[in-house]
Amino acid sequence: MRKVISVIAILLGAIALVVGIGQKTFWAPPETVTASMPEFKEESPLTVIQPSVQNPGSEPVELVITGKGEFTASLARSYDVEAWVGDAAHVELTGVDRENHQLIAERLDGEKKTPNPAGDDLFFDSQKADGTMTYRWTAPDDGDWSLLLAADGTKAAPSEISVTYANDDAMPWALPLIIIGALLLVLGVALLVMRVIKPAKSANSGRRAETAVANTKNGPTKQNSLAVAAVLALAVSGISVPMAPTSDKPSDSPKASESASASESASASAKPSESTAEEKPSYPVLTEEQLQRVLSDVEKQIGKADEKNTKKDLDSRASGAFKDLRTKRYDILNDKIKIAKPLALKTSVIRSAAVPNSSEAKFPRVITVVTAKDSDPATLPIALTLQQNSARDNYKLTFAAQMLPNSTFPGIAVGDPSVTQLDANAEGLKVKPKDALTQLADVLTNEKSKRKDNFAESEFIKAIHSGQKAEQKDAKEAKVKYSRTVTDKDTQVVSTPDGGAIVTGRLNQKAVFERTEDADPLESADELTKKLLGSSTSNGNVEITYAEPVMMYIPASGNDDKIQLVASEVSLLSVKQVEEN
């Protein structure tokens, strides 16, 4: 009987081993599986792939994208992709049904045509392909990132997509079968080789005692043999044997109590962290890599326009006050009037960058940067302000000027989460940005302004006052009246980590030369004025208009520091004869 049982055990063990090992090898499911897109009747100019196609905690998925001809895959933060798509018709891939190995997608109706998103500033990266692209999904930074597919905005975007990912299908009985098979094999072999010791017969009680002792010895011998067999089986199957049995009941020992208390304490301390994690994270509207790419192209395009004084070349990377003043400078240069060429931009080195985070950076978005051609401390840096009007627009330069002597710009790293975008009426500052520009206009116009103590000592303010005095003196019989206004639409504000703000704005100055009664005709002071006036003299009053773009730093409310001018310049716009009042 013992031999029959051992043979059955060996046979069952062998079968269990073969089946268990087979499920791990030749019967195992494929390591990866592929899910494909459903078909849609209508075509769309855009396809959006959401980050939910990626299974958290697993290896990045691999997408095979097929289109009709050339197309582009552009990666950006999900909320930016959503803003770019807007009301356009698009196919949206939202996830993967991993049980049925199918992609989950829907088509949303809307505008049939869009601009081509390829290379837009909004996107971290754009990759081109012709026909087929294999894209390995990896996010360049924390947060949610989406992929936008497009041909050129007018043709159908690729919608034939397949996703390959690790196969989660498992053979749950593989390991138990291997263990059971090993145990049965060892048990069967042990039964075959085991020799049972029979006790000797005895006629007296002494012999019975010896038999009892013999039985006692034989019992442990058989049990020890089975225990050794079980340990060997577990060793073969790769399972470790605990030194002592475990219990589901909590231990009464002091150490166990301390451990339980520590665990409860850790759990309690984890709760605030969990609530903190629930707060919506915020990310910079541009990564450092994106910012460097934008600045490089701005330098290239503005340099191209400066080279030939072509206004049309400014369109792609200039707007606002900067474009207005640059255009006027080109007009003067193209009239063969000898004036200095405009400031050449140098953006190779980013010294500081106030890049707002996404929480308050609604469109239009504004960033302020200080750049230089190299890292030499003696190199004069240039202060720049750029604006992105909408998700589909690129950043355009609205302000550019060399930093003033003895001025400072807060050191800010790209991506500092404390930087936000503000408006002209922002609170929490020593003076509202709008009011600060109005006060500066008054200080520049009137040397004895009541607001002068609000501003730190500045070489620019001194130069303006000195120039106005000299101009009034040279006017002789004429009276010179100065006035300044603020162009509200050109006011842009970005906060700094210390609670202050960088403000960019534009002042417009008018200097009116009024002839006194019976005075001689007014004479132009220089060749530029003569050219713009069209004459060397004037029998009427003369009005000269200047633009004064400025950048200033406003400290936080309660700070004892004064408002400081960071950068500024004066640009002559027009000279004309006006009627007497």
Side-chain angles (χ1 to χ4, degrees):
M1 188 66 184
R2 176 167 50 83
K3 289 182 180 181
V4 173
I5 293 173
S6 66
V7 171
I8 293 173
I10 291 172
L11 287 174
L12 291 176
I15 293 170
L17 275 175
V18 170
V19 174
I21 294 172
Q23 288 186 355
K24 285 288 187 181
T25 55
F26 46 84
W27 286 333
E31 293 183 359
T32 60
V33 290
T34 300
S36 299
M37 284 277 283
E39 293 185 3
F40 298 97
K41 294 181 180 179
E42 293 186 66
E43 295 180 334
S44 303
L46 303 171
T47 298
V48 179
I49 303 177
Q50 298 288 12
S52 47
V53 301
Q54 175 66 38
N55 191 19
S58 65
E59 292 295 322
V61 299
E62 189 174 85
L63 301 110
V64 177
I65 305 165
T66 303
K68 299 174 182 177
E70 294 185 351
F71 65 90
T72 306
S74 302
L75 184 68
R77 294 196 181 277
S78 296
Y79 48 76
D80 280 341
V81 170
E82 182 181 349
W84 200 101
V85 172
D87 296 327
H90 64 283
V91 172
E92 190 163 329
L93 173 55
T94 57
V96 182
D97 181 352
R98 292 176 181 265
E99 290 185 4
N100 300 310
H101 305 311
Q102 293 180 346
L103 296 182
I104 304 170
E106 63 176 329
R107 185 188 180 278
L108 304 174
D109 200 13
E111 299 171 2
K112 306 301 180 183
K113 295 182 179 181
T114 70
N116 190 346
D120 278 10
D121 291 345
L122 192 80
F123 299 102
F124 176 83
D125 177 57
S126 290
Q127 297 183 24
K128 292 183 179 180
D130 189 353
T132 303
M133 170 191 289
T134 300
Y135 192 95
R136 190 169 177 79
W137 185 279
T138 53
D141 199 1
D142 293 337
D144 291 334
W145 295 76
S146 296
L147 197 64
L148 180 65
L149 308 180
D152 61 0
T154 60
K155 299 176 183 177
S159 59
E160 186 179 334
I161 304 168
S162 61
V163 176
T164 301
Y165 52 91
N167 190 3
D168 294 332
D169 290 344
M171 291 289 195
W173 285 101
L175 187 60
L177 284 172
I178 292 173
I179 296 173
I180 292 169
L183 287 172
L184 288 173
L185 278 175
V186 174
L187 179 61
V189 172
L191 288 173
L192 280 177
V193 300
M194 190 182 302
R195 182 172 62 87
V196 181
I197 302 173
K198 294 182 180 181
K201 293 182 180 180
S202 174
N204 51 47
S205 59
R207 294 277 185 175
R208 289 176 185 166
E210 290 177 7
T211 301
V213 173
N215 287 337
T216 303
K217 289 180 181 180
N218 288 337
T221 299
K222 185 182 292 186
Q223 292 169 5
N224 288 341
S225 299
L226 292 174
V228 171
V231 172
L232 287 173
L234 290 171
V236 170
S237 64
I239 303 298
S240 59
V241 180
M243 296 301 294
T246 58
S247 172
D248 293 334
K249 296 180 181 180
S251 172
D252 295 332
S253 67
K255 288 185 178 180
S257 300
E258 290 174 9
S259 177
S261 300
S263 177
E264 291 174 5
S265 176
S267 176
S269 64
K271 289 181 181 178
S273 301
E274 289 172 4
S275 62
T276 303
E278 290 175 1
E279 295 179 4
K280 188 177 180 180
S282 188
Y283 306 101
V285 295
L286 285 177
T287 65
E288 186 168 359
E289 183 177 333
Q290 284 176 282
L291 177 59
Q292 189 65 71
R293 188 178 71 236
V294 169
L295 292 174
S296 178
D297 193 58
V298 166
E299 179 182 339
K300 177 183 176 182
Q301 299 303 328
I302 300 300
K304 180 182 176 182
D306 288 347
E307 186 178 355
K308 296 181 179 180
N309 302 325
T310 50
K311 293 182 280 187
K312 185 177 180 181
D313 289 334
L314 288 173
D315 293 344
S316 64
R317 285 297 186 180
S319 68
F322 178 85
K323 185 178 181 181
D324 291 344
L325 303 186
R326 213 68 161 194
T327 299
K328 188 61 181 178
R329 180 66 65 94
Y330 291 168
D331 289 340
I332 295 172
L333 288 167
N334 290 333
D335 284 341
K336 308 303 179 184
I337 300 175
K338 292 184 179 180
I339 59 171
K341 293 280 286 183
L343 173 69
L345 303 183
K346 300 296 179 183
T347 63
S348 299
V349 177
I350 299 175
R351 294 201 176 176
S352 187
V355 178
N357 63 52
S358 58
S359 61
E360 297 296 331
K362 301 176 178 63
F363 293 103
R365 290 176 174 175
V366 176
I367 59 176
T368 303
V369 193
V370 173
T371 66
K373 66 178 181 180
D374 53 44
S375 300
D376 188 346
T379 301
L380 286 174
I382 300 175
L384 309 172
T385 298
L386 300 99
Q387 179 171 299
Q388 184 183 31
N389 289 327
S390 72
R392 294 183 181 181
D393 288 313
N394 283 338
Y395 280 91
K396 295 184 178 181
L397 197 61
T398 60
F399 175 90
Q402 281 188 332
M403 287 184 63
L404 298 169
N406 302 318
S407 66
T408 59
F409 190 101
I412 311 171
V414 179
D416 190 319
S418 64
V419 177
T420 59
Q421 190 167 311
L422 307 175
D423 60 37
N425 292 305
E427 302 284 353
L429 302 171
K430 197 160 191 176
V431 181
K432 289 182 179 180
K434 183 178 181 179
D435 295 340
L437 288 169
T438 302
Q439 291 179 16
L440 177 61
D442 185 57
V443 170
L444 292 175
T445 303
N446 307 306
E447 189 173 357
K448 296 181 179 180
S449 169
K450 295 179 180 179
R451 304 292 187 179
K452 65 179 182 179
D453 291 336
N454 289 350
F455 295 84
E457 187 175 308
S458 168
E459 294 300 322
F460 178 76
I461 296 176
K462 290 180 181 178
I464 292 293
H465 290 161
S466 177
Q468 290 176 168
K469 282 182 179 179
E471 202 167 46
Q472 288 173 328
K473 184 179 179 181
D474 293 340
K476 296 179 181 179
E477 296 180 356
K479 290 182 179 179
V480 187
K481 294 182 179 179
Y482 297 101
S483 63
R484 283 178 174 82
T485 58
V486 178
T487 305
D488 292 337
K489 67 177 183 178
D490 290 321
T491 302
Q492 298 160 319
V493 189
V494 179
S495 76
T496 56
D498 60 2
I502 297 294
V503 179
T504 303
R506 173 179 171 173
L507 307 182
N508 302 291
Q509 180 205 152
K510 284 186 179 180
V512 179
F513 292 75
E514 297 179 346
R515 292 176 65 234
T516 57
E517 190 175 354
D518 299 326
D520 294 332
L522 296 174
E523 295 185 4
S524 300
D526 53 55
E527 290 300 317
L528 176 57
T529 306
K530 291 178 184 179
K531 287 278 187 179
L532 294 176
L533 184 61
S535 174
S536 60
T537 61
S538 172
N539 291 319
N541 296 337
V542 175
E543 180 184 276
I544 303 179
T545 305
Y546 299 90
E548 296 169 336
V550 297
M551 179 183 288
M552 65 176 73
Y553 167 74
I554 304 178
S557 177
N559 194 311
D560 293 333
D561 293 339
K562 296 183 178 182
I563 301 170
Q564 181 185 134
L565 285 183
V566 175
S568 185
E569 64 174 345
V570 179
S571 181
L572 178 61
L573 297 179
S574 65
V575 181
K576 62 182 180 180
Q577 185 172 310
V578 294
E579 295 181 1
E580 296 182 19
N581 294 329

